[in-house]
Amino acid sequence: MSKNTKINTLLLLLVAALAVLPIALGMGEGKEEPFTGADAQAEAAITELKPDYEPWFSPLYEPPSGEVESALFALQAALGAGVLAYYFGVRKGRRQGAAAAAAAAPEA
Amino acid sequence: MHIAEGFLPPLHAVAWGAASAPFVVHGVRSLTREVKANPESTLLLGASGAFTFVLSALKIPSVTGSCSHPTGTGLGAILFRPPIMAVLGTITLLFQALLLAHGGLTTLGANVFSMAIAGPWAGYAVYRLLRKSGLPLMVTVFFGAFFADLVTYCVTSVQLALAFPDPASGFAGSLAKFGGIFAVTQIPLAVSEGLLTVLVMRLLMASSKSDLVRLGVAKLTAPRTGEKAAA
């Protein structure tokens, strides 16, 4: 493994560790629903601060179930990852093509 | 950091919309200018938007026992400057508001202000300041992305505290409450976002140094042969 690859792998491992540690250390214990979304907690806090507040507009479309919502979130991530992979693929292809052309060109 | 649909009083919703609109309009102009002047930027612009798409879809557990997501806006702000990030961030937020019922149309202005304007500008400012002090590029990228992420969630806390002051302790009490939900949760996630942004910047350095030089992010050193040909 080159030094570059090692550093990149280490970066990914660090990110994974940061995500797993709160669960492994049981930071959600003692909560009614551990690891809910912060957005939902904010909604609950609003209702607490102003119990008579009624949302005055509702989403035009709501995913019919948690599963469908997860699927759409996965779709969002997949779209992003796909475009990123396409970008790096194109760059790599260009570099390889240029290198091949340079190698094939007669010595000037 | 998404404020849910209908969860901002109409007056606040309109005010944040009015505050955000000029930034987005200016951003669209910057974006078209950039694409016209440098058509080869289109691919990297797409990749920057894609990075925001991926990161804002990842809900990651945090130390407070709740989940939140990074924003992915630091990268684009550093590469293409914040006005363009206002557009890319707005597209992401629209996708989530329309298809995921995450955020909303009435709260779009407020969410755009925190994630697509305030965060990117704060991250960019930190990146530029540190760059001037001569720190290594990857250190400045880390802190740029870290602050773009964290400031987004701080602004959301302020927005909610303004709309829903605590009956007893007022704005300050309410800010502490929302800050506890958003900002504290976000600290480890901002670290994650910084690390992931450094990772992508490292991959860009290896694959597209010529673009980074043109955008003023990297300095030209003796290019490798493949790089020269690709440029």
Side-chain angles (χ1 to χ4, degrees):
Chain A
M1 230 198 287
S2 76
K3 187 177 162 227
N4 254 332
T5 321
K6 271 187 198 148
I7 296 177
N8 290 349
T9 314
L10 182 71
L11 284 171
L12 279 176
L13 283 176
L14 274 173
V15 171
L18 273 172
V20 173
L21 270 179
I23 301 181
L25 296 176
M27 303 300 229
E29 271 166 33
K31 297 208 171 200
E32 250 174 68
E33 264 189 279
F35 298 110
T36 49
D39 291 354
Q41 289 190 348
E43 279 174 50
I46 292 172
T47 323
E48 227 173 84
L49 284 166
K50 214 172 175 187
D52 56 342
Y53 185 82
E54 285 283 332
W56 54 282
F57 199 82
S58 43
L60 301 178
Y61 167 79
E62 249 180 293
S65 73
E67 280 73 12
V68 176
E69 193 186 345
S70 299
L72 287 167
F73 264 110
L75 174 72
Q76 186 192 329
L79 278 174
V83 172
L84 273 174
Y86 175 80
Y87 175 83
F88 285 112
V90 166
R91 298 302 311 204
K92 183 161 192 180
R94 274 190 204 159
R95 273 204 321 283
Q96 286 175 341
E107 294 292 322
Chain B
M1 47 41 80
H2 295 85
I3 302 176
E5 185 77 282
F7 269 89
L8 271 187
L11 192 65
H12 287 255
V14 172
W16 287 113
S20 293
F23 287 93
V24 177
V25 171
H26 174 234
V28 170
R29 280 205 201 121
S30 308
L31 185 65
T32 35
R33 210 179 311 130
E34 172 69 23
V35 171
K36 237 183 225 161
N38 301 301
E40 69 272 25
S41 277
T42 317
L43 208 53
L44 189 53
L45 277 166
S48 307
F51 187 65
T52 298
F53 246 66
V54 183
L55 261 65
S56 61
L58 299 178
K59 297 191 193 171
I60 303 174
S62 180
V63 286
T64 46
S66 63
C67 274
S68 193
H69 59 87
T71 62
T73 56
L75 180 74
I78 291 170
L79 289 175
F80 290 105
R81 300 185 26 84
I84 285 180
M85 205 57 236
V87 184
L88 301 179
T90 303
I91 294 170
T92 311
L93 286 166
L94 257 179
F95 177 94
Q96 295 186 318
L98 292 175
L99 281 174
L100 294 161
H102 212 68
L105 294 177
T106 60
T107 52
L108 187 66
N111 290 332
V112 164
F113 195 88
S114 62
M115 186 178 123
I117 298 167
W121 271 108
Y124 182 71
V126 168
Y127 158 78
R128 287 304 300 244
L129 268 173
L130 294 180
R131 226 31 210 140
K132 279 210 177 101
S133 68
L135 284 166
L137 173 66
M138 290 308 164
V139 175
T140 64
V141 166
F142 173 85
F143 283 106
F146 175 88
F147 280 102
D149 182 312
L150 195 60
V151 166
T152 299
Y153 282 81
C154 294
V155 170
T156 303
S157 307
V158 171
Q159 289 171 329
L160 285 174
L162 281 173
F164 302 99
D166 190 280
S169 50
F171 172 78
S174 185
L175 183 61
K177 187 170 200 151
F178 288 115
I181 293 172
F182 281 125
V184 178
T185 307
Q186 204 60 25
I187 293 170
L189 297 192
V191 174
S192 294
E193 167 149 11
L195 295 175
L196 284 170
T197 309
V198 165
L199 174 66
V200 171
M201 198 60 99
R202 287 174 55 82
L203 295 174
L204 288 174
M205 278 298 252
S207 77
S208 344
K209 182 128 189 228
S210 53
D211 281 342
L212 296 188
V213 170
R214 180 172 53 75
L215 293 166
V217 174
K219 286 193 189 73
L220 195 61
T221 47
R224 282 172 292 175
T225 39
E227 199 72 49
K228 203 194 263 170

